[in-house]
Amino acid sequence: MRCRDAAHVLERYALLLELAGESPFKARAYSAAADALAALDRSLDDALDSGALSQIRGIGEGIVATLDELRRTGTIAHLAELEGQVPPGVVRLTELRGVGAKKARQLWLDCGITSIEQLEQACREHRIAACKGFSAKSEAALLDAIAFWRSTRGQLQRHKAWRLYDELRATLLDGGARDIVAAGQLRRGCETIDLLTLVAITESNTVALPEDFAPAGTRRYSSITRDVPIEILLATPDEAGTALFVATGDDEFLAAATGGSALPPLPDEADVFAHLHLPDIPAELREGTAIVERARRGEIPRLIAREDMRGMIHVHTTWSDGKNTLDEMVLAARELGFEYIVICDHSQSAAYAGGLTIDRVHQQRAEIDALASRVSGIAILHGIESDILADGSLDYPDDVLAEFDVVVASVHSHFALPRAEQTARILRALANPFTTILGHPTGRLLLRRDGYDVDIEAIIAEAARTGTVIEFNVNPYRLDLDWRYHRRACSEGVRFAIDPDAHSTDGIRELFDGISVARRGELTPTDVVNTMSLEQFRAFVAAQRERKQNLQVSA
DNA sequence: GCCGTTTTCGGCCCGACTGTTTTCAGTCG
């Protein structure tokens, strides 16, 4: 068992402890331990036997004993007991927005609710308002939350879809497949996945499938029993190219590309494009009919690719709310071949995230300088993710801001401002001479909450006027700014930074997956500042500051 | 359950927001 898997178990244990009415502090201790554990990229056996776990703050004797039980028996007896005690539907109640462990427990014990369906029924019949602590208003809020929950069911963020893919891949390879390839929405770079499509390449045209898969056509199998519907297509190696092509594009694209004729079995996708007399169309663009026409006219741009990325920008460490240390994050970026990394921990107003006071900013700089002198092969820049305060100002005085190599300015509070006020606030931050990059411009969390209400056109225009970079934050919950705005912004002269907003070394690796989504937006290497060399990037930031200062003077 | 002592108990990230209450509790980031 990997530490990451053990972390998931502890997280669930923490939730059940709270639902069962045990000390919320105990639950929090388990939850914090889960966080710490998730950052360890090693096996649980190794972490326990080396004594590394007991060294970690927040993991003491009790939790080490629990983890030892988990690795010996594959489970935690007390957790199993709680699973028997708390109905599974009550655990699911916490998936609703605005329902935490306390409210779920209250709904269960005071109102007798043990599933989301029962809760919905009870709200409609106004039986919840009769319970202590609830009113007609809370019934309406709960119904809203249930509607939102329902609208996001059967969909996954990309990292969760990849996790499911990894599980299936291992099973299918064990079951005799020669190779497994992700196709469909995942390969096209869709930001959320409502159908997971895999091609299983097998010599014999058969593979041992998990029990929940049933036939759904010629050599096609599907399952609807997991978090998202899944389909698996079987193909022999000599027809793998055709199978992958068919499993990747959407229906409109396939009809336009093939003209409705059946494709011969071909081993490689390149053979399929040659057969169709079409240039290679990147998987991320294979939707709709227009792209086929563009391809025929030779209008497919050279899209950004992972090899183009030279700078890793916007990374958190244990100095604020990151799970891995500065050293670990730097070494992980170097291992992936990055030439420079820009550390951007939270600023002082982000107290919940351990934001840096001015003193700690200076301490962190000293540590970065010390590390830079020890580590070769990667440059370390000192940036900050500065909160944009309610009035649009940044979170430090100018003399402190001026010391950073890069300032990512982001909204983390006051999400509910009216549109005009929210927009004005962000425009003010864009005009700030020290704002290098506008972080996650809408604050959306995919399948969790919408972004704050802002005028994106106005933000793009002001970014263009001031020369401020807009972030494409590729944290799999964010993927913000939405790729649908990318071309328009670029046509106005805006540049993007493709940033992982990584809070762990795993998050750093997710950067590459996010590039798939950037390709949907047709970002090219010249649109993206991370493709610059270190010297180019430093010169870019210096020129940007000068330009912005001049704009301020003339204003 | 963890931590750090004022060293074996008492407090535990903090501010905004919302909704139910008249002074606070729960949720969220």
Side-chain angles (χ1 to χ4, degrees), chain A residues 53 85 103 114 141 143 201 208 243 246 289 300 331 336 359 443 460 471 492 528:
Chain A
L53 280 186
Q85 208 175 312
K103 273 198 187 153
T114 57
L143 285 172
I201 300 166
V246 169
T289 56
I300 306 292
L331 294 180
L336 292 170
D359 272 353
I460 289 172
E471 184 175 73
E492 292 190 30
V528 176

Side-chain angles (χ1 to χ4, degrees), chain A residues 171-304:
Chain A
T171 310
L172 296 171
L173 290 178
D174 279 349
R178 180 208 266 200
D179 198 9
I180 307 299
V181 190
Q185 297 171 7
L186 197 53
R187 186 167 180 232
R188 293 206 304 271
C190 298
E191 55 266 72
T192 58
I193 307 300
D194 63 28
L195 175 63
L196 179 63
T197 308
L198 308 183
V199 176
I201 300 166
T202 141
E203 311 280 356
S204 59
N205 240 326
T206 56
V207 63
L209 292 164
E211 279 177 8
D212 54 317
F213 281 84
T218 317
R219 288 185 292 155
R220 186 184 285 260
Y221 298 85
S222 66
S223 163
I224 50 164
T225 64
R226 314 211 184 193
D227 290 339
V228 68
I230 304 165
E231 62 174 13
I232 297 175
L233 285 78
L234 302 191
T236 56
D238 58 354
E239 60 186 5
T242 304
L244 187 56
F245 181 84
V246 169
T248 297
D250 74 3
D251 291 346
E252 284 188 357
F253 169 82
L254 292 174
T258 62
S261 339
L263 290 169
L266 295 164
D268 200 274
E269 263 193 342
D271 304 323
V272 178
F273 281 105
H275 170 82
L276 295 170
H277 305 292
L278 277 173
D280 186 9
I281 300 174
E284 295 87 352
L285 302 185
R286 293 187 212 162
E287 287 184 9
T289 56
I291 193 69
V292 178
E293 285 314 308
R294 287 177 62 198
R296 291 209 171 97
R297 294 196 299 267
E299 288 175 7
I300 306 292
R302 152 71 166 88
L303 304 182
I304 183 100

Side-chain angles (χ1 to χ4, degrees), chain A residues 189-458:
Chain A
C190 298
E191 55 266 72
T192 58
I193 307 300
D194 63 28
L195 175 63
L196 179 63
T197 308
L198 308 183
V199 176
I201 300 166
T202 141
E203 311 280 356
S204 59
N205 240 326
T206 56
V207 63
L209 292 164
E211 279 177 8
D212 54 317
F213 281 84
T218 317
R219 288 185 292 155
R220 186 184 285 260
Y221 298 85
S222 66
S223 163
I224 50 164
T225 64
R226 314 211 184 193
D227 290 339
V228 68
I230 304 165
E231 62 174 13
I232 297 175
L233 285 78
L234 302 191
T236 56
D238 58 354
E239 60 186 5
T242 304
L244 187 56
F245 181 84
V246 169
T248 297
D250 74 3
D251 291 346
E252 284 188 357
F253 169 82
L254 292 174
T258 62
S261 339
L263 290 169
L266 295 164
D268 200 274
E269 263 193 342
D271 304 323
V272 178
F273 281 105
H275 170 82
L276 295 170
H277 305 292
L278 277 173
D280 186 9
I281 300 174
E284 295 87 352
L285 302 185
R286 293 187 212 162
E287 287 184 9
T289 56
I291 193 69
V292 178
E293 285 314 308
R294 287 177 62 198
R296 291 209 171 97
R297 294 196 299 267
E299 288 175 7
I300 306 292
R302 152 71 166 88
L303 304 182
I304 183 100
R306 60 185 283 174
E307 309 80 70
D308 298 316
M309 298 290 285
R310 301 169 79 170
M312 164 83 63
I313 304 173
H314 192 170
V315 167
H316 295 269
T317 73
T318 48
W319 278 85
S320 64
D321 61 350
K323 294 187 175 106
N324 288 100
T325 62
L326 175 62
D327 296 42
E328 287 165 346
M329 295 302 270
V330 168
L331 294 180
R334 185 179 70 173
E335 198 178 308
L336 292 170
F338 284 87
E339 291 172 27
Y340 54 100
I341 181 170
V342 187
I343 304 297
C344 298
D345 273 305
H346 285 284
S347 62
Q348 52 190 350
S349 286
Y352 68 90
L356 303 180
T357 58
I358 294 176
D359 272 353
R360 297 195 69 233
V361 165
H362 292 136
Q363 287 167 28
Q364 187 185 40
R365 181 157 312 130
E367 187 174 303
I368 285 177
D369 290 345
L371 180 62
S373 66
R374 286 203 311 275
V375 171
S376 63
I378 186 165
I380 313 169
L381 276 61
H382 192 201
I384 191 81
E385 181 177 21
S386 170
D387 269 29
I388 297 175
L389 305 182
D391 67 355
S393 59
L394 299 189
D395 204 9
Y396 298 107
D398 283 359
D399 59 323
V400 176
L401 291 172
E403 294 171 358
F404 290 110
D405 295 311
V406 168
V407 175
V408 176
S410 311
V411 166
H412 289 116
S413 61
H414 300 96
F415 296 131
L417 292 183
R419 182 182 175 89
E421 222 170 300
Q422 192 71 274
T423 303
R425 169 195 190 190
I426 294 173
L427 295 188
R428 185 168 170 218
L430 284 166
N432 189 307
F434 297 106
T435 300
T436 323
I437 299 169
L438 173 65
H440 47 72
T442 74
R444 74 175 181 184
L445 292 179
L446 291 164
L447 308 180
R448 283 194 185 174
R449 67 154 197 242
D450 294 330
Y452 25 84
D453 192 12
V454 284
D455 179 349
I456 293 174
E457 312 287 337

